[in-house]
Amino acid sequence: MEEAGIVFFLLQFFLLHFLKIDAVELDTISRSRFLTDGDTLVSPTGIFKLGFFQTGSSEHRYLGISYKKIPVTTVVWVANRNHPLMGASPHVLKIDSPGNLLLSNNISMIWSSNTTTASGNVTATLRDTGNLVLMDQNHKVLWQSFDYPTDTLLPGMKLGYDYLRGIEWHLTSWKSIQDPALGKLTWGSDTKNYPESKLKQGKMVKFRGGPWKNTRIPGGSQFQRNLTTELSVVITEREVSFSYNLDNSSFLPRVTLNSSGQLESWMWVEDGKKWQLAMSLPIDVCDTYSICSAYGICRLNRFGQSCGCLDEKRFVPRNQKSWETGDWSGGCVRRTPLACKNGSEGFIKYSDIKLPDTKSTWFNMSMSLEECEAKCLMNCTCMAYANPDVSLQGRGCLLWLNDLIDIRAYSEGNGGQDIFVRMASSDLSNDLFLMQLLFHYAYMPSN
Ligand SMILES: *[C@@H]1O[C@H](CO)[C@@H](O)[C@H](O)[C@H]1NC(C)=O
Ligand SMILES: *[C@@H]1O[C@H](CO)[C@@H](O)[C@H](O)[C@H]1NC(C)=O
Ligand SMILES: *[C@@H]1O[C@H](CO)[C@@H](O)[C@H](O)[C@H]1NC(C)=O
Ligand SMILES: *[C@@H]1O[C@H](CO)[C@@H](O)[C@H](O)[C@H]1NC(C)=O
Ligand SMILES: *[C@@H]1O[C@H](CO)[C@@H](O)[C@H](O)[C@H]1NC(C)=O
Ligand SMILES: *[C@@H]1O[C@H](CO)[C@@H](O)[C@H](O)[C@H]1NC(C)=O
Ligand SMILES: *[C@@H]1O[C@H](CO)[C@@H](O)[C@H](O)[C@H]1NC(C)=O
Ligand SMILES: *[C@@H]1O[C@H](CO)[C@@H](O)[C@H](O)[C@H]1NC(C)=O
Ligand SMILES: *[C@@H]1O[C@H](CO)[C@@H](O)[C@H](O)[C@H]1NC(C)=O
């Protein structure tokens, strides 16, 4: 009996350690079930998998999440971005006794979820959303990969802040197409003012997505004509976040910030067995951050882009000469400076524009537009107001407390919004242009 037991044990040992030909597909990682090279952790319906991968010709190996159900390897999340596993040394992903999800080679720890407070039976599973989740035995989430995005925003993932847990969600590009290490480019919300996404290289803003709003975007191009993308914004004391969802997830939508600084929105086309680019931002030169400076507005025309003042009647270039030579860095100023005497000012409405940078703003999303106007008028530093999110039953107030920068024009119905800009009372009349014309002719010598 004794001998049979030993033989059985040896046989099992042999089978486990030397005949491990087929990669194992796990549905759960626990204290007793590890993930080693070649194994994968698979989501319930097999959309995503977690496993080790290599990029290009490098010897570096990474632990990452990719799609299981498509033939093109597409990595959406990487654990050890800056700490690749080298060479062929054995490595393992396991849950250690304090409850960390731990990636190590035979020598040292490479990456850890740092969740040491957990106790009891901790397990890790991969959800069909692409979220790797570490839970305790009561199914309380201890850690999730969605809280630590790499370069890809999947449906349901968030950008913004979780103030309670002190987490900031943003994308960071790969260093290069072959190297998942942290790149220089980020996409996220950078202020605690009214939230909007900014694409930055280091500290420098390259592109701004515009103030966040709840909206539904019907599909544009031919293959996605019937698709609707829903953008969801949460603005509370606890959380400020942005996320998106598609009404048909079979297209495996994903948004990535690529290593050359372009945001790309992709869909999987089953027929063609390939990824199709649905959208890429920035779109054109008018998306270049603050290209026309303060109170300037960028328009696309047949010859490319051009900067104008927000309104040629009420604004003039700060420096006419350089403006004419195409140096727009001075921006524009009001023809009639604001005096901020009580009752002497009002607002002019501009439509179909991208709302300016929200860097210096104040907001209250329960105020009506009338209350918003009154609030702006009361404060001399308030330069404009708008409702950034018209989906909130007409409520929502955003005040700009500084010069208005990074404005572009959209053609009607293409997502532009209304803004109300503070003006001296003498500039409020819509007949201003007519009056100037009359003056002009009145003082012209008659032939
Ligand atoms: C770790 O792996 C390397 C390469 O396989 C091997 O040379 C080394 O002896 C291993 N070290 C330990 C402590 O197992
Ligand atoms: C975990 O903690 C270590 C040491 O403090 C740190 O280097 C590492 O970046 C942390 N890992 C994560 C995923 O935050
Ligand atoms: C821990 O949970 C896993 C998955 O639910 C289960 O397979 C395992 O038996 C549990 N272990 C213990 C010690 O309860
Ligand atoms: C889009 O929807 C219309 C009507 O609902 C339908 O006739 C058409 O076949 C759909 N097109 C695609 C590509 O699914
Ligand atoms: C989603 O799109 C696929 C491919 O066009 C289609 O076969 C499927 O019926 C759609 N599902 C829903 C819920 O519209
Ligand atoms: C980034 O995206 C742009 C636009 O889709 C593309 O032209 C460029 O080649 C991409 N760069 C990389 C490194 O993938
Ligand atoms: C401005 O004028 C309004 C009425 O015209 C008055 O109610 C308000 O108190 C005045 N505010 C200031 C700061 O003078
Ligand atoms: C926001 O506006 C609502 C409605 O006018 C008001 O009741 C509330 O006090 C305001 N909150 C702040 C912080 O100003
Ligand atoms: C104007 O608004 C800003 C921002 O809310 C505030 O700091 C400032 O005190 C206000 N000024 C006046 C005169 O109300």
Side-chain angles (χ1 to χ4, degrees):
M1 271 328 274
E2 188 97 27
E3 260 179 33
I6 290 170
V7 168
F8 180 68
F9 173 77
L10 284 176
L11 190 66
Q12 209 178 31
F13 183 83
F14 182 78
L15 284 174
L16 274 176
H17 290 266
F18 300 100
L19 286 180
K20 198 177 155 188
I21 298 163
D22 292 317
V24 179
E25 286 187 2
L26 301 173
D27 59 4
T28 308
I29 297 173
S30 66
R31 292 236 164 90
S32 53
R33 288 156 93 192
F34 307 160
L35 191 82
T36 55
D37 210 2
D39 298 348
T40 50
L41 176 69
V42 176
S43 73
T45 69
I47 298 172
F48 287 99
K49 65 180 180 195
L50 171 80
F52 296 95
F53 71 95
Q54 243 167 315
T55 61
S57 56
S58 97
E59 289 274 274
H60 296 176
R61 297 182 77 77
Y62 299 91
L63 175 71
I65 298 172
S66 57
Y67 297 91
K68 178 177 165 57
K69 66 180 248 180
I70 63 170
V72 180
T73 301
T74 309
V75 176
V76 297
W77 183 80
V78 183
N80 54 324
R81 297 184 76 166
N82 277 5
H83 304 282
L85 296 153
M86 301 295 196
S89 72
H91 37 266
V92 60
L93 179 71
K94 63 182 177 192
I95 290 170
D96 67 4
S97 49
N100 289 309
L101 189 59
L102 191 75
L103 174 62
S104 56
N105 59 17
N106 62 343
I107 302 159
S108 61
M109 188 262 272
I110 301 294
W111 176 87
S112 158
S113 63
N114 293 343
T115 40
T116 46
T117 53
S119 59
N121 191 10
V122 177
T123 55
T125 53
L126 182 60
R127 299 201 172 147
D128 275 328
T129 53
N131 193 7
L132 174 64
V133 178
L134 190 67
M135 285 180 305
D136 69 11
Q137 59 206 8
N138 304 318
H139 295 273
K140 184 181 165 234
V141 173
L142 305 169
W143 179 92
Q144 54 179 351
S145 62
F146 270 23
D147 281 337
Y148 304 91
T150 57
D151 69 336
T152 301
L153 194 71
L154 294 170
M157 275 176 93
K158 289 170 175 177
L159 295 178
Y161 295 93
D162 180 330
Y163 293 122
L164 275 193
R165 293 186 298 146
I167 291 178
E168 195 220 325
W169 299 293
H170 67 264
L171 304 183
T172 312
S173 66
W174 285 26
K175 204 163 193 172
S176 73
I177 209 160
Q178 308 277 11
D179 184 357
L182 283 171
K184 288 199 185 73
L185 298 144
T186 58
W187 174 247
S189 177
D190 75 337
T191 73
K192 294 182 181 181
N193 295 304
Y194 191 83
E196 62 178 349
S197 307
K198 281 182 176 155
L199 199 167
K200 298 209 269 185
Q201 179 158 12
K203 287 212 159 85
M204 194 181 75
V205 179
K206 300 190 74 171
F207 165 67
R208 205 171 55 87
W212 289 351
K213 57 182 177 186
N214 291 283
T215 187
R216 294 168 65 81
I217 305 171
S221 70
Q222 199 164 16
F223 85 102
Q224 50 161 333
R225 200 181 305 147
N226 288 3
L227 290 180
T228 303
T229 306
E230 191 159 336
L231 308 184
S232 310
V233 174
V234 175
I235 300 178
T236 65
E237 302 273 290
R238 307 163 52 138
E239 172 179 328
V240 168
S241 71
F242 167 94
S243 61
Y244 74 97
N245 259 302
L246 225 66
D247 57 357
N248 187 337
S249 58
S250 68
F251 289 93
L252 308 178
R254 66 189 167 96
V255 173
T256 65
L257 172 59
N258 81 13
S259 52
S260 39
Q262 205 77 17
L263 274 165
E264 299 174 303
S265 160
W266 297 94
M267 311 256 182
W268 179 254
V269 186
E270 199 51 55
D271 297 343
K273 296 261 177 279
K274 66 178 175 75
W275 288 106
Q276 167 105 27
L277 190 62
M279 193 174 59
S280 175
L281 293 171
I283 292 178
D284 52 46
V285 67
C286 276
D287 275 343
T288 310
Y289 181 67
S290 192
I291 186 170
C292 302
S293 304
Y295 301 106
I297 184 165
C298 189
R299 290 193 171 85
L300 284 184
N301 57 31
R302 258 184 307 156
F303 312 106
Q305 99 291 354
S306 79
C307 285
C309 292
L310 192 53
D311 172 340
E312 305 294 341
K313 294 170 248 167
R314 300 178 177 90
F315 291 86
V316 285
R318 187 186 292 277
N319 185 333
Q320 186 72 43
K321 279 226 172 66
S322 41
W323 191 266
E324 279 162 8
T325 65
D327 171 5
W328 300 302
S329 57
C332 301
V333 292
R334 289 176 179 80
R335 249 178 227 282
T336 316
L338 297 174
C340 200
K341 291 202 197 87
N342 196 8
S344 73
E345 280 159 7
F347 297 91
I348 292 286
K349 175 179 172 180
Y350 298 95
S351 299
D352 297 313
I353 65 151
K354 174 177 179 178
L355 293 178
D357 194 321
T358 63
K359 184 167 58 182
S360 308
T361 51
W362 178 94
F363 66 94
N364 178 339
M365 298 311 280
S366 342
M367 276 165 86
S368 69
L369 208 57
E370 292 73 38
E371 291 172 304
C372 196
E373 171 170 358
K375 177 98 184 163
C376 188
L377 207 53
M378 258 168 46
N379 191 325
C380 292
T381 55
C382 181
M383 291 300 146
Y385 71 90
N387 178 358
D389 189 347
V390 290
S391 74
L392 308 172
Q393 281 93 44
R395 301 240 152 220
C397 172
L398 176 56
L399 305 183
W400 278 263
L401 304 169
N402 216 329
D403 287 341
L404 309 178
I405 59 166
D406 197 35
I407 305 171
R408 70 170 294 171
Y410 288 118
S411 53
E412 210 179 312
N414 273 332
Q417 287 173 270
D418 294 341
I419 190 169
F420 300 84
V421 180
R422 188 187 204 112
M423 288 291 160
S425 56
S426 57
D427 280 348
L428 288 178
S429 166
N430 278 318
D431 300 330
L432 192 72
F433 184 61
L434 195 64
M435 278 163 56
Q436 278 177 349
L437 217 65
L438 289 176
F439 266 104
H440 186 69
Y441 283 112
Y443 288 97
M444 282 252 290
S446 51
N447 306 335

